[in-house]
Amino acid sequence: MKQSPLPLPPQVAVLAICLAFGALATPAAAEDVTVSIDNFTFTPAEVTVTPGTTVTWVNNDDIPHTVVDKKQAFRSKALDTEGKFSFTFTTAGDYSYFCSLHPHMVGKVIVKAGG
Amino acid sequence: MSRHERPSSETAPRLDADGIDRRGFLECMTWAGTGILWSISGGVASGVGLGRALAAEPQKALTFLQISDSHVGFDKAANPDALGTLREAVARIRTLKEKPAFMIHTGDISHLSKDKEFDDADQIIKEAGIPVFYVPGEHDLLDDGQGKAYLDRYGKGAKGAGWYSYDHGGVHFIALVNVVNLKAGGLGNLGTEQLEWLENDVAGLPSSTPLVVFAHIPLWTVYPEWGWGTADGLEALSYLKRFGSVTVLNGHIHQVMQKVEGNVSFHTARSTAFPQPAPGTAPSPGPLKLPAGELKKNLGIATVNFVRGSEPLAIIDTPLEG
Ligand SMILES: [Cu+2]
């Protein structure tokens, strides 16, 4: 079989890969926020995000939890171990939430325009 | 392990000649990891460890059984086979020489409110061959209808979210639901509708009627940092103040706790699925993972030695293994 020539010099290919990763990573860092649930605690307990941000909660406990907004803006189903729930915040404001199974678990998402 | 406090024998009331304490003060408790057998005679309830009951203690006027927190569907490290340990508990109940009149299940029948979990639990529990009175735990209300599945299955004849009362052998039993509409940062919750119902429910009863109140989350404040208590529990108890004998039976905390306050005795039962840590002894109330072979020791049976006559009862915790 005949070896086909590299379409680009190797250093250019590496650069292209870096750019591709950068293109994926940049919006991810700006938009997505993860709140983990460990030991019956939302961590971080308070996050501040810009409108349009999607927040994802991940349950790392071996007991189910829920994520419920006090003012009903969102309500997850029971998240079993490794279960996830995402909500995209479009409206500025303070969102206090809790676990409806273990209501002593509370957290807050603050949504405000970036500046 | 024995983390429950027993009421000190110094404070035990004197019994009348017939051995019945007219003040209705509940003294002895004993606990089985897999179930608690209750006897009531003359308004005095005393828990009988399954181990002791298996030894064919002559039964009193009324005997019933409590199991709790079967969490069918739970399969994590603390107990990969919650269904198996429920089966063991029921097998023990079946070997009782004297059949209890009925069983109460103080909630968290299932782990995630799935039909299959309820089906599996029902299949095993019915093998006990006695009627069962349920209240829901928060794990039983996780269906899309937020409790509809529970009510369809267990709530026939119940009011609201599943509360009801009934009489048996001269005792008035009150089943309460304190796991719905929980408030952020808060504890268990009964709500005004249920409180009003409770006030009316006991209004016509003579104060001499022994009451047994059961609900999932403790009605008394065990450890608010972990949500172990009921926000409006004191209000509920205020309606019961005039009664000479009130026994409050709960689950939820997967360990034995008890407290006696005047004529009210509070008790929590162990789980048939997995233990939870004592208040404040762990970062969270999550399932306690014990070293291999320790689980059933923890679920082990507790027995009470009845000392004949009017002497106080001695509590002996006897593990299933070890
Ligand atoms: Cu929770």
Side-chain angles (χ1 to χ4, degrees), chain B residues 21-72:
Chain B
D21 166 28
R22 297 302 176 199
R23 283 187 287 159
F25 187 102
L26 304 188
E27 168 60 7
C28 140
M29 282 311 88
T30 177
W31 303 91
T34 48
I36 300 171
L37 193 64
W38 290 92
S39 292
I40 294 191
S41 180
V44 181
S46 35
V48 179
L50 279 178
R52 183 66 180 178
L54 288 166
E57 184 70 15
Q59 296 302 303
K60 307 283 169 59
L62 169 62
T63 298
F64 67 98
L65 197 117
Q66 179 188 9
I67 63 168
S68 199
D69 296 86
S70 40
H71 283 264
V72 168

Side-chain angles (χ1 to χ4, degrees), chain A:
Chain A
M1 185 190 283
K2 190 181 167 192
Q3 176 122 26
S4 59
L6 278 172
L8 292 167
Q11 63 271 33
V12 176
V14 169
L15 181 64
I17 289 165
C18 287
L19 286 172
F21 267 97
L24 288 172
T26 304
E31 298 294 331
D32 293 346
V33 171
T34 298
V35 175
S36 72
I37 306 174
D38 302 277
N39 274 324
F40 291 63
T41 307
F42 296 109
T43 309
E46 187 176 306
V47 291
T48 302
V49 302
T50 53
T53 302
T54 297
V55 176
T56 300
W57 286 264
V58 183
N59 179 17
N60 297 312
D61 275 349
D62 49 12
I63 273 289
H65 297 292
T66 64
V67 181
V68 177
D69 177 44
K70 271 198 205 176
K71 293 177 187 160
Q72 326 278 326
F74 53 89
R75 179 186 190 100
S76 78
K77 293 186 180 186
L79 309 177
D80 201 0
T81 305
E82 290 167 13
K84 290 180 185 178
F85 170 70
S86 294
F87 184 78
T88 302
F89 292 86
T90 52
T91 311
D94 288 2
Y95 298 81
S96 293
Y97 65 88
F98 67 112
C99 167
S100 64
L101 285 168
H102 313 104
H104 67 286
M105 297 170 57
V106 294
K108 194 180 201 177
V109 178
I110 298 164
V111 183
K112 58 180 179 188

